[in-house]
Amino acid sequence: MSTLVVVGAQWGDEGKGKVVDVLAEEASVVARFAGGNNAGHTLVVDGRKLITHLVPSGCRYPGTRCVLGAGMVIDPEVFRAEIDELRVLGLLAQDELRVSLDAHVIFPFHRAIDGLREDRASTAERIGTTRRGVGPAYEAKAARRGVRVRDLLDVTRLRERLAKNKDALDHEMQRLGAEDQALDLEALVEQGLGWGRWLGPMACDAGELCARAIRSGEKVLFEGAQGALLDLDHGTYPYVTSSSSIAGGVCTGIGIGPTLIDEVWGITKAYTTRVGRGPFPTRLTGPAGDRLREAGAEYGATTGRPRDCGWLDLPALSRAARLSGMTGLCVTKLDVLAALPEVQICESYEDDVDPGRDGLEQAVPRLRSVPGWGDPAILEGLHAAKDRAGLPAAVRAYLDLIEEHTQVPVVLVSVGPDRAQTLRFADAFS
Ligand code: IMP
């Protein structure tokens, strides 16, 4: 058995795309289990930047099967465009992509509602979603009127599913002041059938595909989207996404049991970023935040929004490690910290606020400067290092501190955007 789950340990954007891209070389299946095109995974292939939103980051390896699981919500228009782009680049063969029959479909009306709600909400109520229709599609799923990939393959079922949405959606459009956007049932049926024609050949029982691969000894990598602190159940609710972004989401989002999971690697930046609203204890405002944003080029891969930036938050990271039962931590963007004149870290909050018990709204970080950083030689040392022992002393001490707090070994560090700028300290697959 050889399975590895890769999940975000913060508020998303931790660099999962690059890490999965590096690790996927060894896997024969890479499967995504949650989210939709709210995610944006940046890969650098031969110096060229590529952003995938739906197709798992393992797509560039010939023969690797890429699977979109039942826990995902799929916008077929975005999916089609992405497949076409990858195929033009020669990165995705015809038979390498599989989609769960039970994944839910994002229709244009989900996108419209997501955007209208954000536009109409008061500043206090706005979530700052990616406006991709992800939340409304998951709402429809929970309300048992969602449309799945399998429904696109049968006209009677599709019409029946869409009809179930009409009253609720027309009412919602009216509430949002968009009466003119009433749902045109027959036009949507046509659109859905059109999607079904090209999605059908790649639709499958994704859980069975993964379980069979695992049983026959293949290496399977499960790729998360977003991060633990955006998880619907355990994140900074209500400022969260609408799906399960922790490792447990693999079981429901793919359709396999927890006994099939061997390793869980969490990805964290060497600092913290967040996009969208919600608590962020170590957020830096003013020039300090701007400096970190510019150093790390912290702009959303999906929306282009500037990310809020702050120091590494060890209590929040420790909670994320516990939520996913992490067996390894990957620390990305160490090179960005190395470019700063000073580095700080949060090891605890004032008044012993506990992130699980008290939430993060009230958490005031106790920050301290990390010794040894701010020296220009660190960047050079990072790039020259061939292994952990060869890293600059300040960086090694930083990694030790992370391990001490989270009780999870650091198994990989990333010191630049290129896949070659990666040091691995452990095997991904046992
Ligand atoms: P939604 O997932 O579009 O509904 O957005 C809900 C919250 O999750 C917002 O704060 C988004 O900014 C955030 N979010 C969703 N996907 C990502 C991601 O891939 N990276 C970072 N933040 C995300």
Side-chain angles (χ1 to χ4, degrees):
M1 231 167 54
S2 226
T3 54
L4 169 70
V5 179
V6 172
V7 282
Q10 298 171 307
W11 280 285
D13 309 322
E14 299 93 349
K16 292 181 290 297
K18 174 185 161 171
V19 174
V20 171
D21 180 35
V22 168
L23 301 177
E25 191 164 13
E26 295 170 41
S28 45
V29 178
V30 182
R32 234 187 95 176
F33 58 90
N37 60 309
N38 47 355
H41 289 170
T42 309
L43 318 175
V44 179
V45 183
D46 299 330
R48 183 176 176 160
K49 201 164 140 182
L50 252 177
I51 300 177
T52 62
H53 299 283
L54 289 164
V55 175
S57 312
C59 57
R60 68 144 108 186
Y61 300 105
T64 302
R65 276 162 293 157
C66 291
V67 180
L68 282 71
M72 289 186 69
V73 286
I74 296 168
D75 183 329
E77 304 284 341
V78 175
F79 192 33
R80 179 85 233 190
E82 206 167 291
I83 295 170
D84 289 347
E85 191 189 348
L86 289 166
R87 291 218 169 119
V88 166
L89 295 171
L91 290 178
L92 194 64
Q94 195 74 33
D95 57 349
E96 286 171 356
L97 200 54
R98 294 280 185 281
V99 182
S100 168
L101 283 157
D102 294 317
H104 278 246
V105 177
I106 299 181
F107 278 80
F109 54 80
H110 293 127
R111 242 182 356 247
I113 286 178
D114 201 357
L116 283 165
R117 281 187 189 155
E118 286 288 307
D119 288 339
R120 304 282 193 275
S122 65
T123 312
E125 283 175 341
R126 193 168 298 136
I127 301 291
T129 74
T130 58
R131 297 169 177 253
R132 299 299 191 259
V134 168
Y138 278 117
E139 269 173 56
K141 171 179 173 173
R144 286 165 287 205
R145 55 178 157 77
V147 180
R148 297 160 303 169
V149 169
R150 68 169 72 241
D151 301 320
L152 303 178
L153 310 179
D154 175 329
V155 64
T156 313
R157 203 160 55 197
L158 179 60
R159 187 174 287 111
E160 182 219 351
R161 300 304 305 159
L162 283 167
K164 269 188 181 294
N165 286 273
K166 182 153 174 62
D167 281 354
L169 287 166
D170 287 350
H171 184 260
E172 180 70 348
M173 287 297 189
Q174 218 166 19
R175 190 185 72 82
L176 292 165
E179 299 77 1
D180 55 325
Q181 295 191 37
L183 197 141
D184 179 343
L185 191 59
E186 286 313 310
L188 287 170
V189 171
E190 274 314 302
Q191 188 171 36
L193 287 175
W195 293 337
R197 278 192 282 278
W198 60 266
L199 273 169
M202 59 179 97
C204 71
D205 178 345
E208 175 55 23
L209 185 156
C210 293
R212 204 178 324 120
I214 296 167
R215 278 197 301 266
S216 59
E218 292 180 60
K219 292 172 179 164
V220 179
L221 199 162
F222 296 107
E223 172 180 340
Q226 290 84 42
L229 303 173
L230 285 173
D231 182 83
L232 178 61
D233 295 288
H234 303 284
T236 48
Y237 193 87
Y239 301 104
V240 292
T241 191
S242 312
S243 60
S244 181
S245 46
I246 58 174
V250 169
C251 298
T252 51
I254 294 290
I256 58 161
T259 46
L260 290 185
I261 295 173
D262 296 326
E263 300 284 336
V264 179
W265 284 11
I267 319 296
T268 176
K269 274 180 187 152
Y271 48 96
T272 311
T273 62
R274 175 163 205 176
V275 63
R277 297 190 59 241
F280 176 0
T282 60
R283 178 189 276 125
L284 288 167
T285 50
D290 296 342
R291 193 160 42 223
L292 193 42
R293 183 178 313 107
E294 293 315 312
E298 295 295 351
Y299 295 88
T302 297
T303 58
R305 290 180 290 178
R307 297 173 183 146
D308 285 346
C309 300
W311 301 120
L312 187 62
D313 182 336
L314 289 172
L317 182 60
S318 300
R319 179 169 151 76
R322 201 264 301 156
L323 285 168
S324 280
M326 289 174 195
T327 59
L329 264 174
C330 306
V331 182
T332 63
K333 292 198 148 183
L334 277 165
D335 53 312
V336 174
L337 275 199
L340 299 178
E342 190 205 5
V343 170
Q344 295 189 4
I345 198 160
C346 164
E347 292 181 87
S348 61
Y349 304 127
E350 298 288 348
D351 303 321
D352 293 323
V353 161
D354 175 272
R357 187 191 58 216
D358 309 309
L360 289 182
E361 288 83 356
Q362 310 305 326
V364 178
R366 289 195 189 103
L367 291 170
R368 72 167 174 87
S369 282
V370 191
W373 289 77
D375 176 350
I378 289 194
L379 192 56
E380 234 170 88
L382 267 182
H383 289 316
K386 298 272 178 283
D387 53 24
R388 186 161 177 163
L391 287 168
V395 178
R396 277 187 279 123
Y398 197 69
L399 300 180
D400 290 346
L401 190 63
I402 293 173
E403 289 182 337
E404 189 188 309
H405 274 263
T406 58
Q407 293 292 298
V408 181
V410 173
V411 288
L412 180 153
V413 295
S414 169
V415 299
D418 201 272
R419 47 188 279 111
Q421 294 172 302
T422 311
L423 296 179
R424 276 166 70 172
F425 312 139
D427 288 332
F429 295 95
S430 49

